Amino acid sequence: PVVWFGVFGAGTILLSIAVAHPLGKRLEHVGLGTMATALFWLDASLLVSALVFGLAGVFWLALVAYFAVGLARNVANPIFQTWLNRNVEESGVRATVLSITNQADAVGQWTGGPAIGLIGNALSIRAALVSGSLCMAPALALYRHAKAPEALLDCRVGRMMAARGLAREVEFACRRDAFPVVAALDQGRVRLLA
């Protein structure tokens, strides 16, 4: 009955509190790249958990996946908000970025929801749940670019610049990079790594 959804929801909230507090303490003073990595793994676990929920053939597996989905969402949201706030330094721009982020989420729900509903009507609820979970996959690729400043600061040149008080310039250079490629010098030739 309906009461069970309340019990499961309360269980998810308690589990989220138990996990979020120690994780929040660990991520409190880390760099943006580390936060992006944590968000990548939380979103990946959300995707896998939602996929397992959609494919679960037994109740206990669906219940475990349900708790995992709720946990990943509840833990990732405050980390994402913190990461977003740290990435946008100007307060006037920050309000716009937060607003656009929320609007993009809403647009994704009202455009993707009916499409997934059509899949559910045409095929099955299981197919709709699986397709909904797979819709989260493109977001994982975005975190690759988010780790650039920390990766550059970890290299020898980045450490030298940071030691001279130029860490902000390194971060600025990463934000202004228009080319999503990484070049390396290999035996006298420039080779693209990404």
Side-chain angles (χ1 to χ4, degrees):
V2 176
V3 174
W4 285 109
F5 285 104
V7 171
F8 297 154
T12 302
I13 290 170
L14 292 174
L15 186 61
S16 299
I17 291 169
V19 171
H21 182 70
L23 186 62
K25 287 288 185 192
R26 283 191 68 156
L27 294 175
E28 192 172 2
H29 300 290
V30 297
L32 294 172
T34 304
M35 289 182 88
T37 301
L39 286 168
F40 171 86
W41 287 111
L42 284 166
D43 280 2
S45 66
L46 176 61
L47 187 151
V48 170
S49 301
L51 192 61
V52 169
F53 183 79
L55 296 173
V58 292
F59 176 74
W60 69 267
L61 185 59
L63 184 61
V64 169
Y66 174 83
F67 279 122
V69 166
L71 176 66
R73 278 190 181 142
N74 292 342
V75 171
N77 189 40
I79 295 171
F80 177 75
Q81 294 297 326
T82 302
W83 177 72
L84 202 58
N85 279 312
R86 282 193 194 173
N87 269 304
V88 182
E89 295 172 10
E90 297 177 36
S91 61
V93 176
R94 185 179 301 124
T96 304
V97 170
L98 293 174
S99 177
I100 289 173
T101 302
N102 291 331
Q103 288 177 6
D105 181 38
V107 168
Q109 288 182 31
W110 66 259
T111 57
I116 292 171
L118 284 173
I119 293 171
N121 285 336
L123 301 174
S124 67
I125 298 297
R126 185 178 303 254
L129 290 170
V130 168
S131 63
S133 67
L134 294 177
C135 286
M136 294 182 271
L140 298 177
L142 298 176
Y143 290 117
R144 177 180 161 267
H145 296 290
K147 294 187 260 185
E150 191 166 284
L152 189 54
L153 284 169
D154 284 342
C155 75
R156 183 173 58 89
V157 174
R159 286 193 305 267
M160 287 172 29
M161 290 181 73
R164 289 179 173 83
L166 300 172
R168 302 295 263 173
E169 284 75 6
V170 172
E171 291 177 5
F172 178 80
C174 291
R175 289 182 186 166
R176 300 295 179 226
D177 185 10
F179 303 105
V181 296
V182 178
L185 191 60
D186 184 23
Q187 298 177 353
R189 293 184 145 163
V190 175
R191 183 172 56 95
L192 297 180
L193 297 176

